[in-house]
Amino acid sequence: IVYLDNIIFSLQPSGCECSRQWAIMIRHLLPIPDVKLRFIEYRNACDNDERSLLDLARRGHLYFMRNLWLTRYLAVRIDGYDGKPFIFHSSGYRICDNPWAVNIITVNDDFKPTYHRLMSLRRCDLIICTSRQVLSLLPADCKHKATIVSTKKSNKNIALFTLKAYRMAIRRHGNK
């Protein structure tokens, strides 16, 4: 199971490059039948044009959260999954506090190191960078768990590289 944290759609205005890149990744994961997708977002997410173009309810389950400005810096709570790892992939530097969560964060071209972002990057299992330039901006102690998945590649490649990154993160999580 893959939980996609769509907080970026609520934090960024329509037309923002981060929202566009996150939507592209989702669009490429949606057609893969054997990937069980769950989406976490806030009620105002569909105000973002990129999000409004995605039909997520048909393909996965939607979970709505409240109090965006309060919870955006807190760890996400997902209960269950005792003994079975699952992916928590965040678009907004958040971590899931379930011990079975394999935490993945996507870092976009507008990366600016803040205390919250750096702490989240240090706690996550894998960092997906959208370009080589983004990789060069990461702190040295985080680069070993970073990989590049460019949204400029073809539909097939984005899905392939993202799924490969998910499998790599699950293996790393099991070796902790």
Side-chain angles (χ1 to χ4, degrees):
I1 290 183
V2 176
Y3 285 89
L4 294 172
D5 178 22
N6 291 346
I7 191 171
I8 197 71
F9 295 134
S10 296
L11 294 175
Q12 298 290 329
S14 293
C16 173
E17 187 65 14
C18 301
S19 295
R20 191 187 69 73
Q21 289 176 344
W22 187 254
I24 287 170
M25 186 203 61
I26 290 174
R27 232 176 261 119
H28 298 313
L29 289 174
L30 284 172
I32 303 172
D34 56 335
V35 177
K36 294 178 184 168
L37 298 173
R38 304 289 184 262
F39 303 98
I40 299 169
E41 57 189 32
Y42 294 86
R43 296 241 177 244
N44 70 332
C46 284
D47 293 347
N48 182 300
D49 291 340
E50 295 291 343
R51 168 59 182 90
S52 66
L53 296 173
L54 298 169
D55 184 12
L56 303 184
R58 197 179 61 168
R59 174 62 174 84
H61 292 74
L62 284 169
Y63 299 94
F64 291 103
M65 298 185 72
R66 292 187 294 232
N67 302 320
L68 172 66
W69 303 112
L70 175 65
T71 61
R72 69 184 282 193
Y73 297 111
L74 302 177
V76 175
R77 179 147 201 87
I78 298 174
D79 294 323
Y81 299 99
D82 293 335
K84 189 171 181 187
F86 63 92
I87 299 288
F88 178 79
H89 188 168
S90 180
S91 63
Y93 302 95
R94 296 201 303 177
I95 298 291
C96 177
D97 63 1
N98 185 309
W100 296 104
V102 179
N103 287 290
I104 299 174
I105 294 174
T106 291
V107 180
N108 294 291
D109 295 338
D110 71 341
F111 175 68
K112 292 172 185 62
T114 64
Y115 177 78
H116 168 72
R117 289 177 177 184
L118 293 174
M119 296 290 41
S120 295
L121 291 174
R122 288 185 173 109
R123 288 184 59 199
C124 73
D125 297 291
L126 181 75
I127 301 166
I128 294 180
C129 299
T130 57
S131 69
R132 203 168 286 290
Q133 177 187 350
V134 173
L135 180 63
S136 69
L137 299 174
L138 293 180
D141 62 338
C142 293
K143 288 185 181 188
H144 71 282
K145 55 185 171 181
T147 189
I148 298 170
V149 177
S150 173
T151 54
K152 293 171 180 72
K153 298 197 183 297
S154 74
N155 181 348
K156 182 179 177 185
N157 286 340
I158 291 174
L160 179 74
F161 289 130
T162 303
L163 292 175
K164 183 179 174 185
Y166 287 170
R167 285 192 289 277
M168 180 175 39
I170 288 174
R171 276 196 307 276
R172 286 181 185 172
H173 187 80
N175 293 332
K176 281 186 177 178

